[in-house]
Amino acid sequence: MSTAIPRDQWYVAAYTTEVGRELFSRTIGGESILFWRTEAGQVTAHADRCVHRRFPLSQAPSRLVGDTVVCGYHGFTYGADGKCVAVPGQTRVPRTARLAPYPVVEQDSLIWVWVGDPQRADPARIPRASYLDSPGWTTVRGREPLAARFSLLVDNLLDLSHETYLHGGYIGTPEVAATPISTEVDDDAGVVYVSRHMDDAECPPFYVRSTGLSGRIARWQDIEYTPPCLYKLHSRIAPVGSVPHPDGSDPDAFHVEVVYAITPETEHSTHDFWMVARDFALDDEEVTAFLAENNRTVVLQDVEALDVLERVIATEPEGYQELSVNIDTGGLAARRMLARMVDEAPHDATAAAR
């Protein structure tokens, strides 16, 4: 199973709340990236190493002074544009003394960074999830470290039949595994859709406690995955027999948007950003706390399983063939898209840009 990371792609680097007036670093695609906000609130992103002796600028005693960052090793000082503005012991600043830049966009409560050739970065390609910070929705969120390649998390999320077995007592019920899926692949848009509509299903504890429904429910799961980074699960929970109105309104249902930003840290580790947005009980702090705690428990169950799977894959013989069945159609389509992204990316783009 490939560990290759697609380049020339946008990845979620952080939540907007994580980056402020302190130096912040995160590794994306094997590259250590330094973030900070200017005094005007603008997010900057550059290579997290001084051009002089490679000291990480996120490491104390490096520090921000106004809108400049001062290296804590020898005092090289950089502006928010990455250009070096001061060198110790001399007045002339070498022309090449500047930090490698990363295109960065702040959108939908997420900070996106472009890993690859900066000249190819197009913000219009960033997929949207506007409800994450829109009125009418309340969102809980977190991030868990995953000691496994990011493609394993993609596989996991595109085949939700595992909920029945791995997440029983939380979000899993027998109907999830028993209900067939439909898969659609839009190669032009670069999106994989997987749908599972359960018209008469057990209501799992996750939704009993949050919606107040119990017994049998209609439960729809509509997945929209935009490789490589953004996964959206549009969940509809409603009384049995309820369907959306012809005009698209759906007053009898509860809607939950489960979003994952699947960001490779290295070839064998992943940043698992998870978000749960809801359009009901917006100001109910008990519901908010419950969803935050329970979804984190579900995420950690996945993390434990995928960490084990990564270790298993590392020891398997070369050429091992896994078995795929109908429930894997979405995941296999995603694998093809990711492989195509790797193949189509210029192999020297990152080296040339950095």
Side-chain angles (χ1 to χ4, degrees), residues 236 243-251 255:
R236 177 181 184 272
V243 295
H245 293 182
D247 63 1
S249 62
D250 197 13
H255 301 94

Side-chain angles (χ1 to χ4, degrees), residues 10-32:
W10 291 100
Y11 290 101
V12 170
Y15 294 118
T16 57
T17 54
E18 291 186 277
V19 179
R21 291 289 296 160
E22 293 184 3
L23 299 173
F24 175 90
S25 182
R26 183 154 284 156
T27 299
I28 310 293
E31 301 180 32
S32 183

Side-chain angles (χ1 to χ4, degrees), residues 36-111:
W36 80 86
R37 286 188 189 273
T38 65
E39 292 180 325
Q42 187 73 28
V43 175
T44 70
H46 296 88
D48 184 20
R49 58 185 179 273
C50 181
V51 299
H52 177 230
R53 289 295 181 265
R54 303 182 187 86
F55 191 77
L57 295 171
S58 60
Q59 176 71 45
S62 298
R63 64 193 185 281
L64 275 179
V65 178
D67 276 346
T68 63
V69 57
V70 181
C71 178
Y73 192 16
H74 293 102
F76 277 64
T77 303
Y78 303 88
D81 60 359
K83 290 183 180 179
C84 185
V85 297
V87 173
Q90 63 186 61
T91 57
R92 187 184 69 85
V93 176
R95 180 181 57 83
T96 57
R98 63 180 302 153
L99 304 175
Y102 289 81
V104 63
V105 173
E106 192 168 2
Q107 180 174 280
D108 300 334
S109 77
L110 304 170
I111 294 175

Side-chain angles (χ1 to χ4, degrees), residues 203-204 207-218 237-239 252-254:
C203 188
Y207 291 126
V208 171
R209 286 281 302 277
S210 58
T211 68
L213 293 177
S214 61
R216 310 296 291 183
I217 60 168
I237 306 95
D252 298 328
F254 299 85

Side-chain angles (χ1 to χ4, degrees), residues 10-294:
W10 291 100
Y11 290 101
V12 170
Y15 294 118
T16 57
T17 54
E18 291 186 277
V19 179
R21 291 289 296 160
E22 293 184 3
L23 299 173
F24 175 90
S25 182
R26 183 154 284 156
T27 299
I28 310 293
E31 301 180 32
S32 183
I33 305 176
L34 176 73
F35 301 88
W36 80 86
R37 286 188 189 273
T38 65
E39 292 180 325
Q42 187 73 28
V43 175
T44 70
H46 296 88
D48 184 20
R49 58 185 179 273
C50 181
V51 299
H52 177 230
R53 289 295 181 265
R54 303 182 187 86
F55 191 77
L57 295 171
S58 60
Q59 176 71 45
S62 298
R63 64 193 185 281
L64 275 179
V65 178
D67 276 346
T68 63
V69 57
V70 181
C71 178
Y73 192 16
H74 293 102
F76 277 64
T77 303
Y78 303 88
D81 60 359
K83 290 183 180 179
C84 185
V85 297
V87 173
Q90 63 186 61
T91 57
R92 187 184 69 85
V93 176
R95 180 181 57 83
T96 57
R98 63 180 302 153
L99 304 175
Y102 289 81
V104 63
V105 173
E106 192 168 2
Q107 180 174 280
D108 300 334
S109 77
L110 304 170
I111 294 175
W112 294 81
V113 68
W114 177 267
V115 178
D117 181 355
Q119 300 301 316
R120 296 166 62 91
D122 180 4
R125 290 177 53 190
I126 299 175
R128 299 301 303 268
S130 58
Y131 38 77
L132 292 176
D133 64 351
S134 292
W137 294 86
T138 296
T139 303
V140 298
R141 65 194 77 215
R143 181 185 65 87
E144 303 301 332
L146 178 64
R149 65 197 71 187
F150 84 105
S151 57
L152 289 179
L153 183 55
V154 174
D155 272 355
N156 171 277
L157 294 172
L158 282 167
D159 175 17
L160 294 181
S161 66
H162 77 273
E163 288 183 350
T164 299
Y165 307 99
L166 192 60
H167 305 311
Y170 292 91
I171 58 174
T173 66
E175 294 81 10
V176 180
T179 303
I181 61 169
S182 62
T183 303
E184 179 184 344
V185 180
D186 188 334
D187 284 308
D188 292 333
V191 181
V192 178
Y193 300 93
V194 179
S195 291
R196 176 184 277 107
H197 286 189
M198 297 162 276
D199 294 323
D200 186 356
E202 177 186 337
C203 188
F206 190 82
Y207 291 126
V208 171
R209 286 281 302 277
S210 58
T211 68
L213 293 177
S214 61
R216 310 296 291 183
I217 60 168
R219 183 182 180 188
W220 295 2
Q221 296 176 324
D222 294 301
I223 295 168
E224 180 182 349
Y225 172 55
T226 305
C229 190
L230 199 69
Y231 168 99
K232 295 180 285 189
L233 170 62
H234 313 295
S235 295
R236 177 181 184 272
I237 306 95
V240 172
S242 170
V243 295
H245 293 182
D247 63 1
S249 62
D250 197 13
D252 298 328
F254 299 85
H255 301 94
V256 176
E257 299 288 346
V258 180
V259 180
Y260 283 82
I262 308 167
T263 301
E265 179 183 40
T266 67
E267 289 191 345
H268 296 279
S269 61
T270 304
H271 300 292
D272 184 352
F273 294 91
W274 58 267
M275 295 141 271
V276 179
R278 68 182 190 275
D279 67 353
F280 57 92
L282 301 183
D283 300 319
D284 192 320
E285 294 184 3
E286 289 189 11
V287 171
T288 296
F290 172 79
L291 289 177
E293 178 185 355
N294 274 253

